[in-house]
Amino acid sequence: MDGGGTGIAGERPIYLIGMMCCGKSTVGRLLATRLGLPFIDLDRLIEDRVGPLLPFVQREGEEAFRAVESDVLVEAATRPRSVIATGGGTPTVPGNLEIMRKSGTLIWLDVPMQVLMPRIERAGGDRPLLFGLRGDALRERVRELLDARSRVYALAAFRIPGDGAPDEVAARIVSALTDQRK
């Protein structure tokens, strides 16, 4: 598919938002390929700047991480026609949502808690906001974050079910973007 100026992605970046482990990076790569666009993973850009995220957050604190994240977001927002996977908390930081809404199209990958939790239990142990949590404490923290963040995520232009195979989720996004252009 054409991701250029006449394609379904238009001239604006596509931001994937949603909870950690909802598939933003995996789906984002597939979506970028389908649309013929570059893929940007904000967390990887931050790691390029500060090193591994968990030690950085443990050493410098979440506020320092969010400041770097906001700087990297501003830089990524100036790159036209890309698919950008954000961190789970990126749109909740003051100013970030406005940057994304003004510069691009926001897509919320909405994954239900019963699908999200097994993913987080498998892969989320290195997440700074979940580090060291297990069992009920982990579930409670994820529920707390999801409840708080969902209000912000709901401001996205599109709410796409994020359960299912990554290819299927990418196809849902392409379909939503195509329908919007009609």
Side-chain angles (χ1 to χ4, degrees):
M1 275 190 201
D2 175 22
T6 60
I8 64 173
E11 295 293 327
R12 297 162 47 95
I14 297 169
Y15 295 98
L16 300 181
I17 65 172
M19 279 296 287
M20 59 189 82
C21 298
C22 75
K24 297 180 298 286
S25 295
T26 303
V27 170
R29 281 185 199 90
L30 294 168
L31 180 63
T33 298
R34 282 177 179 246
L35 298 176
L37 298 175
F39 173 71
I40 298 170
D41 187 320
L42 282 189
D43 283 346
R44 300 302 72 83
L45 292 180
I46 296 167
E47 284 181 336
D48 289 346
R49 200 170 280 188
V50 302
L53 299 184
L54 180 59
F56 178 79
V57 172
Q58 289 174 328
R59 186 178 63 250
E60 304 294 330
E62 185 180 358
E63 189 174 318
F65 168 77
R66 296 299 179 193
V68 173
E69 179 181 55
S70 294
D71 290 345
V72 169
L73 174 64
V74 168
E75 293 168 16
T78 65
R79 300 179 188 182
R81 298 183 301 199
S82 56
V83 174
I84 301 172
T86 67
T90 304
T92 67
V93 174
N96 286 354
L97 183 66
E98 292 77 20
I99 290 166
M100 291 187 287
R101 290 178 85 184
K102 285 180 181 176
S103 65
T105 301
L106 275 77
I107 298 174
W108 173 18
L109 296 186
D110 186 13
V111 176
M113 185 75 172
Q114 68 269 19
V115 173
L116 193 60
M117 275 313 301
R119 292 180 184 181
I120 289 174
E121 288 168 344
R122 281 192 307 272
D126 65 339
R127 307 296 170 130
L129 298 181
L130 303 180
F131 186 71
L133 298 176
R134 303 275 184 268
D136 289 342
L138 176 63
R139 233 175 321 286
E140 181 59 33
R141 180 66 174 141
V142 170
R143 169 61 62 203
E144 186 180 284
L145 287 169
L146 183 60
D147 288 348
R149 292 175 174 181
S150 290
R151 290 185 284 277
V152 175
Y153 297 158
L155 298 172
F158 299 96
R159 181 178 182 172
I160 303 294
D163 52 342
D167 266 341
E168 181 183 333
V169 177
R172 289 175 189 157
I173 295 170
V174 170
S175 178
L177 292 169
T178 301
D179 289 348
Q180 177 196 32
R181 290 187 54 92
K182 291 181 181 175

